[in-house]
C-alpha cells in the first residue's frame, strides 16, 4: 500500500508501473433497418514469439548504437584533460578500454530486502569507465513506496538521469535502461525514505552494467578521436595566436626594459658622481667649520703666543 497522507505527498504519476486497465465494453442497439453486424475476423496471434523477441532486440541494439554514436561524435575533452601536462590522460580517455585486457562481462550490483530506516536514505554508487555501457535496473519494495532517483556525476558537473520521486515499487517492479556515453562517470542510485515518519522500507534492487562489444569500442574510439581532434586543432590554433601575441608583447616589453635599464645605468653613473662629490663636500664643510671656529677664537681671545710675551 502507499504511504498514509501524514507521510507526505501522494506517490508521483511518473512511477514506471503498468497502469493499463481493461476497457469496459458497452453495447449499442442496432436499428431494425441496419444490416446485421459482420463478424470480425479473429486476430491471429504471432506464431513466432522468438522472431518478435529478436526484432525488439535488434531495434534496441540499433537505438543504443545510434545513441552511442551521437555521444561519441559530440565528445569534448574536459578542461583538466586539455590542461594536463602530458598527452596521456587525453589519449587514455579517447582510447577507452584496453582491448588487450577487455572482457565483455556484465557487472551486477544487487541487494535483497535491504532495510531503509524511517527518515533515512540509501545511495548506491557505481563507477562506469567504458563509454557506451548500458545500465539496466529493477527496483522492488515490500508493502510501501520509496523515493527513487538517479544522478550521474562527472568532472563537468552533475546530470539528472532520473528525477527523484516517490515510486510505487510495492505495486509493480520499477524498471529502466539508459546509456552512459561520457566517462568516467559515477552513477548514484538514490533510495529515499526521508519523507517517512513511521515506516521502515524493505528494498530489493538489481543494477546491471553491460559494457559494449569490442567492435563498438573500436568504432567509438575513432569517433571520439575525430571529435577530439577537432577540439585539439581549434585549441592549437587559439593557443598559437595567443603565443604570437604573447611573444610580441614580450619583445615590446623587453625593449622598454632595455630603454629603462639604459636610463637607469646613466642615472647610476650620475648618482655615483653625486655620491663622490657629497663625500668630498662633507669633509670640506667639516674642515671649513673647524677653521672658522679657530679663527673666531683668535679674533676674540687673541693669539696664545702674543698673550705669553705680554706677561
Amino acid at each position: 500500500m502507499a504511504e498514509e497522507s501524514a507521510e507526505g505527498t501522494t506517490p508521483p504519476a511518473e512511477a514506471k508501473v503498468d497502469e493499463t486497465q481493461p476497457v469496459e465494453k458497452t453495447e449499442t442497439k442496432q436499428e431494425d433497418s441496419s444490416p446485421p453486424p459482420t463478424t470480425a475476423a479473429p486476430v491471429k496471434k504471432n506464431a513466432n514469439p522468438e522472431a518478435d523477441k529478436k526484432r525488439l532486440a535488434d531495434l534496441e541494439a540499433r537505438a543504443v548504437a545510434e545513441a552511442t554514436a551521437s555521444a561519441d561524435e559530440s565528445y569534448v575533452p574536459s578542461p583538466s584533460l586539455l590542461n594536463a601536462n602530458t598527452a596521456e590522460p587525453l589519449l587514455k580517455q579517447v582510447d577507452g578500454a584496453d582491448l588487450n585486457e577487455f572482457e565483455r562481462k556484465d557487472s551486477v550490483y544487487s541487494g535483497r530486502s535491504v532495510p531503509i530506516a524511517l527518515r533515512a536514505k540509501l545511495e548506491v554508487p557505481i563507477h562506469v569507465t567504458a563509454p557506451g555501457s548500458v545500465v539496466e535496473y529493477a527496483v522492488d519494495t515490500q508493502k510501501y513506496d520509496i523515493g527513487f532517483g538517479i544522478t550521474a556525476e562527472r568532472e563537468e558537473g552533475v546530470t539528472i538521469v532520473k528525477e527523484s520521486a516517490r515510486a510505487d515499487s510495492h505495486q509493480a517492479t520499477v524498471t529502466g535502461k539508459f546509456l552512459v556515453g561520457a566517462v568516467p562517470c559515477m552513477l548514484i542510485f538514490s533510495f529515499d525514505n526521508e519523507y517517512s515518519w513511521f515506516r521502515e522500507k524493505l528494498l530489493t534492487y538489481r543494477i546491471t552494467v553491460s559494457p559494449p562489444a569490442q567492435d563498438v569500442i573500436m568504432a567509438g574510439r575513432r569517433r571520439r578521436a575525430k571529435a577530439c581532434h577537432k577540439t585539439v586543432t581549434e585549441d592549437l590554433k587559439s593557443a598559437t595566436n595567443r603565443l604570437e601575441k604573447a611573444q610580441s608583447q614580450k619583445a615590446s616589453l623587453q625593449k622598454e626594459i632595455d630603454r629603462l635599464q639604459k636610463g637607469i645605468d646613466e642615472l647610476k653613473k650620475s648618482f655615483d658622481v653625486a655620491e663622490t662629490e657629497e663625500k668630498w663636500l662633507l669633509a670640506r664643510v667639516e674642515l671649513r667649520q673647524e677653521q672658522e671656529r679657530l679663527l673666531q677664537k683668535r679674533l676674540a681671545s687673541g693669539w696664545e703666543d702674543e698673550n705669553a710675551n705680554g706677561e
Side-chain angles (χ1 to χ4, degrees):
M1 64 181 72
E3 291 286 329
E4 296 178 357
S5 59
E7 297 260 27
T9 59
T10 57
E14 69 261 25
K16 296 183 179 179
V17 297
D18 185 4
E19 297 180 348
T20 305
Q21 300 293 335
V23 179
E24 182 182 357
K25 296 182 179 179
T26 58
E27 295 182 356
T28 57
K29 293 183 178 180
Q30 297 284 341
E31 294 289 340
D32 293 341
S33 59
S34 301
T38 58
T39 303
V43 178
K44 293 183 179 180
K45 294 184 178 180
N46 196 323
N48 193 351
E50 291 298 325
D52 280 350
K53 186 176 180 181
K54 183 178 184 304
R55 182 176 61 85
L56 290 175
D58 291 342
L59 289 174
E60 181 177 298
R62 184 184 305 172
V64 169
E66 291 175 354
T68 303
S70 177
D72 289 336
E73 290 168 356
S74 60
Y75 168 74
V76 177
S78 65
S80 65
L81 293 178
L82 291 174
N83 294 329
N85 295 327
T86 63
E88 282 72 18
L90 175 63
L91 296 178
K92 184 176 180 181
Q93 190 173 93
V94 170
D95 294 346
D98 186 344
L99 296 182
N100 294 322
E101 302 174 357
F102 177 72
E103 181 182 0
R104 193 182 184 190
K105 182 179 180 181
D106 292 349
S107 298
V108 179
Y109 308 83
S110 63
R112 185 173 182 83
S113 298
V114 179
I116 304 180
L118 54 93
R119 309 296 295 166
K121 185 177 184 180
L122 171 67
E123 290 187 342
V124 179
I126 298 176
H127 191 221
V128 182
T129 57
S133 295
V134 175
V135 181
E136 189 170 5
Y137 59 86
V139 177
D140 289 287
T141 50
Q142 298 179 21
K143 296 184 180 180
Y144 307 108
D145 60 2
I146 192 75
F148 176 47
I150 309 171
T151 57
E153 298 180 358
R154 300 182 179 87
E155 182 183 346
E156 307 88 78
V158 178
T159 302
I160 297 177
V161 179
K162 176 178 173 58
E163 191 77 37
S164 182
R166 290 172 66 173
D168 290 331
S169 50
H170 60 301
Q171 296 178 354
T173 302
V174 177
T175 61
K177 182 182 292 188
F178 59 92
L179 173 75
V180 178
V183 293
C185 170
M186 179 66 75
L187 297 175
I188 305 295
F189 285 76
S190 177
F191 303 99
D192 187 2
N193 196 32
E194 291 180 326
Y195 61 86
S196 179
W197 288 87
F198 305 108
R199 295 187 178 91
E200 177 185 74
K201 307 295 173 63
L202 294 179
L203 168 71
T204 296
Y205 65 88
R206 181 182 177 86
I207 304 166
T208 305
V209 181
S210 302
Q214 182 169 319
D215 59 336
V216 175
I217 294 177
M218 293 171 63
R221 58 172 47 163
R222 282 161 175 77
R223 286 190 295 263
R224 290 192 299 276
K226 184 177 180 180
C228 187
H229 182 268
K230 179 181 178 182
T231 300
V232 169
T233 301
E234 290 175 352
D235 191 72
L236 173 61
K237 182 178 180 181
S238 174
T240 301
N241 290 335
R242 291 173 60 187
L243 175 61
E244 291 175 354
K245 291 179 180 179
Q247 289 175 334
S248 176
Q249 184 182 26
K250 177 185 175 183
S252 177
L253 291 172
Q254 186 60 55
K255 289 181 180 179
E256 182 67 13
I257 290 173
D258 293 341
R259 185 185 68 80
L260 293 174
Q261 187 62 53
K262 184 177 180 181
I264 290 173
D265 292 341
E266 293 176 354
L267 290 173
K268 185 67 168 59
K269 291 178 181 179
S270 299
F271 176 83
D272 292 341
V273 171
E275 186 177 39
T276 301
E277 186 176 8
E278 178 191 32
K279 291 179 180 179
W280 180 80
L281 289 173
L282 284 173
R284 189 179 186 87
V285 167
E286 185 178 356
L287 174 62
R288 293 295 179 262
Q289 288 175 342
E290 178 67 12
Q291 291 171 338
E292 179 186 35
R293 182 182 67 80
L294 293 174
L295 288 171
Q296 287 180 346
K297 180 179 179 182
R298 280 170 170 71
L299 291 172
S301 303
W303 283 254
E304 292 183 0
D305 59 342
E306 292 178 357
N307 294 332
N309 294 328
E311 293 180 359

